């Protein structure tokens, strides 16, 4: 189950879907509420609601051996699912470039670059340029072609700022020790969002995890080096 990050769509997992289906797997890419072509209801602008949506989809499809793959914000969505429902129906977890805590403070140095409690509201409202976009490598030709085919990042409306605020304010560090399935943490060497040291900390906090730092990628290694 492939869960795209904020301002991404299910079709952005095209490279992984094709490879997984060719290898004999069932590959389900999800557009969560408030993402891309899905509904924008008046309720549910919380990561916990998106985690519950995952649970309802897994139940609806009758799945019980799910490999959960989350990118960016959807790593938090997957952690929310595990926090609420455990790992009974999950056999493995992949987390692509997402810190378990986004805001830097006296307890944490590896959140989103430049974001702390003094500027988080400006960050989620687009008034503060968090992260370091200059680190992101230029998109290779196959990614440019993908965007031409399915569209790139979508411009999220102001109406979903509460979801982004909820995402930024959350702290999932206490959930990591309960992720008792094999886990793969992946990050790009040139991530504009998160330092590699934070990905190393996250890997060590998980009971059964390994880390891959993808050397020519930024925030989206599943695009640049599929």
């Amino acid at each position: 189950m492939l869960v795209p990050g904020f301002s991404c769509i299910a079709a952005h997992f095209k490279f992984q879907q094709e490879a997984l289906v060719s290898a004999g797997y069932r590959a389900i890419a999800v557009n969560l509420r408030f993402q891309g072509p899905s509904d924008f209801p008046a309720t549910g602008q919380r990561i916990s609601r998106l985690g519950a949506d995952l649970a309802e989809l897994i139940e609806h499809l009758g799945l019980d051996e799910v490999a959960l793959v989350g990118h960016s914000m959807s790593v938090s969505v997957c952690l929310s699912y595990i926090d609420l429902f455990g790992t009974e129906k999950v056999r493995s977890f992949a987390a692509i470039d997402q810190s378990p805590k986004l805001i830097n403070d006296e307890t944490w140095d590896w959140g989103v670059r430049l974001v702390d409690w003094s500027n988080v509201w400006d960050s989620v409202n687009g008034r503060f340029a968090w992260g370091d976009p200059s680190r992101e490598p230029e998109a290779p030709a196959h990614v440019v072609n993908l965007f031409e085919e399915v569209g790139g990042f979508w411009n999220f409306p102001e109406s979903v700022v509460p979801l982004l605020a909820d995402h930024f304010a959350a702290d999932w560090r206490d959930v990591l020790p309960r992720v008792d399935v094999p886990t793969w943490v992946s990050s790009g060497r040139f991530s504009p969002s998160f330092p590699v040291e934070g990905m190393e900390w996250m890997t060590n906090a998980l009971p059964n995890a390994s880390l891959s730092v993808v050397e020519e990628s930024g925030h989206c290694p599943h695009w640049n080096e599929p």
Side-chain angles (χ1 to χ4, degrees):
M1 183 166 285
L2 308 166
V3 194
F6 191 78
S7 79
C8 296
I9 58 175
H12 289 159
F13 276 113
K14 175 184 176 180
F15 305 126
Q16 285 70 37
Q17 283 186 291
E18 290 177 346
L20 290 166
V21 170
S22 294
Y25 291 95
R26 181 182 184 185
I28 302 166
V30 182
N31 283 309
L32 297 169
R33 66 174 75 195
F34 316 117
Q35 295 285 97
S38 285
D39 289 344
F40 283 63
T43 60
Q45 293 204 43
R46 290 170 297 280
I47 298 297
S48 60
R49 178 62 256 179
L50 301 185
D53 287 345
L54 270 189
E56 292 177 5
L57 179 60
I58 289 170
E59 182 70 23
H60 175 72
L61 296 175
L63 308 177
D64 59 8
E65 289 285 323
V66 179
L68 273 181
V69 180
H71 170 233
S72 192
M73 184 189 76
S74 284
V75 172
S76 298
V77 174
C78 293
L79 289 173
S80 173
Y81 168 85
I82 292 170
D83 183 38
L84 293 169
F85 303 100
T87 58
E88 180 182 359
K89 297 185 177 182
V90 178
R91 65 178 176 85
S92 58
F93 174 41
I96 305 172
D97 205 48
Q98 175 66 51
S99 171
K101 174 174 162 58
L102 272 66
I103 298 177
N104 297 291
D105 56 26
E106 62 271 17
T107 74
W108 188 246
D109 294 323
W110 298 313
V112 180
R113 300 177 195 273
L114 306 179
V115 173
D116 57 33
W117 288 106
S118 72
N119 58 32
V120 63
W121 188 241
D122 285 335
S123 296
V124 300
N125 278 279
R127 298 190 293 263
F128 178 76
W130 40 271
D132 183 1
S134 68
R135 293 177 55 87
E136 183 69 46
E138 184 177 354
H142 66 268
V143 176
V144 174
N145 292 339
L146 174 67
F147 284 0
E148 290 176 350
E149 178 185 346
V150 304
F153 293 105
W154 56 275
N155 294 319
F156 61 92
E158 291 184 2
S159 61
V160 298
V161 164
L163 173 64
L164 198 57
D166 183 78
H167 170 44
F168 267 68
D171 183 350
W172 304 101
R173 289 177 294 179
D174 65 315
V175 180
L176 300 181
R178 294 187 280 125
V179 183
D180 57 352
V181 295
T183 302
W184 180 42
V185 179
S186 177
S187 183
R189 176 68 67 188
F190 299 101
S191 172
S193 301
F194 304 109
V196 169
E197 293 87 347
M199 300 296 102
E200 293 171 343
W201 185 96
M202 182 175 176
T203 303
N204 291 330
L206 289 155
N208 181 13
S210 61
L211 169 67
S212 293
V213 179
V214 187
E215 294 297 336
E216 303 299 327
S217 292
H219 186 50
C220 306
H222 59 302
W223 296 349
N224 287 21
E225 300 178 82

